Amino acid sequence: MTTGPLAVVLAMVVLSRKFVRKFVPARFRCTQHSALRWSIILAFLVLPSTSLTIFRTFYCVEMPSGERFLEADLAISCDRSDRGVQLVYSWLMILIYPLGIPASFFVVLYRQRDVIATLDEGTPSGLLPKQVAPLTFLYHNYKHGKKAVASGDRYAYLAEVYECLRRVVLCGGIV
């Protein structure tokens, strides 16, 4: 559940590199912008379910016999000797998914904040500047561009970052 999306993103990044393109058939090639766009969409889709799976690795239930088992899978004992490795892996995945995805969304949006601030909300995707075209999935549903700046909502385009953090908190609250 946690390594699959990482493998897909890694494959897209590798296939988007210029030195790889000459060895890869045309139907499998992708540009860096399309790799970024599809990586963002994939990250958006897997964030809640993957975060929930990661958070569930910390919750153990105690049986009447006194043994503790992982609530997500009662076949896994929380008293096993390799539980420490599982916890380290879970903490690493927390850095990548529930914290890393919103942080990466923030970084890519913040780096393009000046370009996003100059856009008109109705700008067709074909006329968008090349550097922000892959990011439209993150900000197009929120107030952005000249209207947002004029109304004092200069950072409204970051709403997706807040939305991702809200989804992570809700997933963590279930556990």
Side-chain angles (χ1 to χ4, degrees), residues 115-175:
V115 177
I116 294 171
T118 61
L119 297 175
D120 289 322
E121 286 192 34
T123 306
S125 60
L127 299 176
L128 288 172
K130 192 175 183 178
Q131 68 268 32
V132 296
L135 308 178
T136 56
F137 181 78
L138 294 176
Y139 69 81
H140 76 281
N141 288 326
Y142 305 103
K143 188 190 312 184
H144 63 277
K146 295 175 184 175
K147 286 185 182 179
V149 172
S151 67
D153 293 333
R154 178 163 170 74
Y155 298 104
Y157 66 91
L158 292 174
E160 190 58 50
V161 175
Y162 303 123
E163 183 65 21
C164 285
L165 292 172
R166 183 187 71 82
R167 289 171 32 211
V168 166
V169 168
L170 288 173
C171 287
I174 292 173
V175 177

Side-chain angles (χ1 to χ4, degrees), residues 33-48:
H33 289 302
S34 66
L36 178 60
R37 176 182 290 122
W38 287 108
S39 297
I40 288 171
I41 292 170
L42 179 67
F44 178 83
L45 293 174
V46 301
L47 178 64

